[in-house]
Amino acid sequence: MKDCHNIADLRRMAGRRLPRIFSDYIDGGSHSELTLGANESDFARWRLRQHVLRDVSTRDLSATFLGASHALPLMLGPIGFLGMFGRRGEVAAARAAGAAGIPSCVSAFAIRPIDEVARENPASTLYSQLYVLRDRALTETLIARAEAAGAAALFLTVDTAVTPVRERDARNGFRNLTRPTLGQWCNILGRPSWCWAMTRDGKPEVGHARAAGFGRGVMEQAGNLARQIDPGLSWSDVDWLRRRWPRKLVIKGILEPEDARRALDAGADGIVVSNHGGRQLDGASSTIMALPAIAEAVAGRMDVLVDGGFRRGWHIALALALGASAVSVGRPYAWGLAAGGEAGVARAIALLAGELDSTLALMGLSSVAELRAGGGSLVHFN
Ligand SMILES: Cc1cc2nc3c(=O)[nH]c(=O)nc-3n(C[C@H](O)[C@H](O)[C@H](O)COP(=O)(O)O)c2cc1C
């Protein structure tokens, strides 16, 4: 991919390729987008320590999290509608992740269902993201499907009791796309390569919702699935899920040390320190600021993953020093997918891996294990 030197380049390329309604959907956050911005800008409140003359001629970026060793301390997090950003997006992303030796997580709002993603990527580590639905029998079906597809972990997302207004989506009429306006049609038809990619495999549908009889067409299905997300979810449901799900269980959307300890007590194997990429509670803490206290609270007794605003390799190094086992990315690979399909996702992963590698070397470190062992002594608050 020519002229693509960093994640910001992928974002620009994605913006040129996608209809505005979808590029805004990916880029945007809730309300004033304060938390969205803080996720990215708060990295600048920290600095890395530079140690020299330490022979860093060989380096090992591998990391162990959620019970397995991976080539990088990185995973692709759950992103809804991936299949609307690139052809067979979920399959392409999982394939790029598998080739890079890292796991990927299939969203509950995936276009291609998890069984298809698993079938097409037999060698890669897949996780499945779950929303607990008002209809518990349907929730059971989704869990059983994740189990049958061989998902190594279930990510229960808990920061989505309601969906706040995302003003870019409201302005673009994102939720009303069931009947596009003339303006929307013009914008969509102005992106012919995207239109071609979207229509080649038939009309796109939301994978899970398709099976649940949630209507016809992506937007109607997504709306019905979203209305099913249960705002009554509580810790007793986590207890139920822990009994029901035999493999790794991860709670996604933790921002408070007290909730992290609660997740540990409930038997979760891990958490994702997450504010949903600034798309839920506007005004919430950035994740890099929330991470240290949470890592301290669980003190190595469970895997602490973190997401939100990671655009540079040094961001990943900082999170690992602050106690994370691994980092999960969202938009970087969604932009990669929109910009260049599977190759674009591979490019996003390679950019982050390359930057992480040089960061380690310049910090005087030979491995991710050494970085994690050094912890907070390797960084300082600015
Ligand atoms: C377009 C988009 C769709 C998302 N869909 C989901 C989803 O279906 N389920 C979920 O748990 N999180 C979802 N997320 C949140 C991501 O998993 C992740 O928390 C967030 O993107 C991390 O921030 P980053 O995009 O800055 O890396 C979505 C995020 C974006 C940007």
Side-chain angles (χ1 to χ4, degrees):
M1 300 184 76
K2 261 179 47 200
D3 291 330
C4 170
H5 304 289
N6 56 35
I7 298 296
D9 287 341
L10 284 177
R11 177 180 181 166
R12 271 188 295 277
M13 292 164 77
R16 285 197 292 270
R17 185 134 195 287
L18 287 173
R20 175 75 187 266
I21 201 158
F22 285 108
S23 58
D24 270 353
Y25 171 70
I26 299 175
D27 295 2
S30 51
H31 299 305
S32 63
E33 300 190 337
L34 180 135
T35 298
L36 171 73
N39 273 350
E40 290 193 22
S41 61
D42 278 355
F43 287 110
R45 299 173 73 178
W46 299 84
R47 292 290 183 271
L48 308 178
R49 292 189 193 277
Q50 170 180 300
H51 290 292
V52 295
L53 299 169
R54 288 190 169 180
D55 185 359
V56 291
S57 44
T58 55
R59 295 181 297 281
D60 176 8
L61 296 187
S62 67
T64 298
F65 57 95
L66 298 180
S69 175
H70 305 283
L72 298 166
L74 187 68
M75 61 167 280
L76 305 186
I79 294 276
F81 295 107
L82 268 188
M84 298 302 291
F85 312 150
R87 186 176 175 217
R88 303 182 75 215
E90 291 81 8
V91 174
R95 196 170 287 157
I102 63 170
S104 61
C105 187
V106 180
S107 159
F109 283 81
I111 301 295
R112 310 311 299 197
I114 188 162
D115 29 311
E116 179 184 330
V117 180
R119 209 169 43 243
E120 303 252 347
N121 296 278
S124 68
T125 303
L126 277 190
Y127 303 147
S128 178
Q129 183 253 320
L130 179 78
Y131 286 115
V132 171
L133 306 180
R134 297 172 197 266
D135 179 342
R136 291 297 199 272
L138 181 55
T139 311
E140 262 287 346
T141 307
L142 302 183
I143 297 168
R145 206 175 293 159
E147 205 172 357
L154 194 63
F155 280 52
L156 172 68
T157 301
V158 295
D159 56 9
T160 319
V162 297
T163 301
V165 174
R166 296 176 189 151
E167 292 174 15
R168 302 192 208 205
D169 292 348
R171 267 187 212 103
N172 291 335
F174 183 77
R175 299 277 162 205
N176 307 327
L177 251 198
T178 34
R179 273 195 225 124
T181 61
L182 185 63
Q184 283 168 340
W185 272 123
C186 290
N187 189 252
I188 288 169
L189 295 174
R191 298 286 191 275
S193 67
W194 179 85
C195 292
W196 170 232
M198 286 307 108
T199 46
R200 284 174 73 179
D201 307 307
K203 200 171 164 199
E205 295 186 274
V206 177
H208 275 340
R210 171 170 44 200
F214 277 166
R216 289 154 56 87
V218 173
M219 290 300 161
E220 186 184 345
Q221 293 172 340
N224 285 330
L225 181 58
R227 276 185 284 280
Q228 268 285 333
I229 297 174
D230 189 355
L233 194 68
S234 72
W235 286 104
S236 61
D237 296 294
V238 177
D239 294 338
W240 161 75
L241 196 58
R242 180 63 292 181
R243 288 193 300 276
R244 167 65 186 83
W245 176 257
R247 303 181 197 142
K248 301 287 180 193
L249 178 64
V250 179
I251 313 290
K252 176 175 182 283
I254 298 289
L255 276 187
E256 293 295 330
E258 184 193 336
D259 288 344
R261 275 191 292 264
R262 196 83 198 263
L264 186 62
D265 292 344
D269 300 288
I271 51 172
V272 187
V273 177
S274 176
N275 51 35
H276 217 102
R279 297 163 79 81
Q280 287 298 116
L281 177 62
D282 193 31
S285 171
S286 67
T287 50
I288 200 66
M289 294 305 290
L291 173 65
I294 292 175
E296 194 187 337
V298 302
R301 288 171 291 168
M302 76 195 313
D303 277 309
V304 177
L305 288 91
V306 58
D307 72 18
F310 288 81
R311 309 288 179 259
R312 290 286 184 186
W314 81 263
H315 298 164
I316 300 173
L318 174 65
L320 298 178
L322 294 177
S325 318
V327 163
S328 176
V329 285
R331 293 179 184 86
Y333 87 91
W335 290 323
L337 177 70
E342 183 184 332
V345 178
R347 184 78 183 134
I349 298 168
L351 282 166
L352 293 170
E355 291 182 16
L356 176 63
D357 183 50
S358 57
T359 300
L360 279 191
L362 294 172
M363 288 175 79
L365 300 166
S366 297
S367 68
V368 161
E370 204 184 334
L371 170 62
R372 294 197 59 209
S377 69
L378 297 173
V379 301
H380 60 90
F381 195 61
N382 200 27

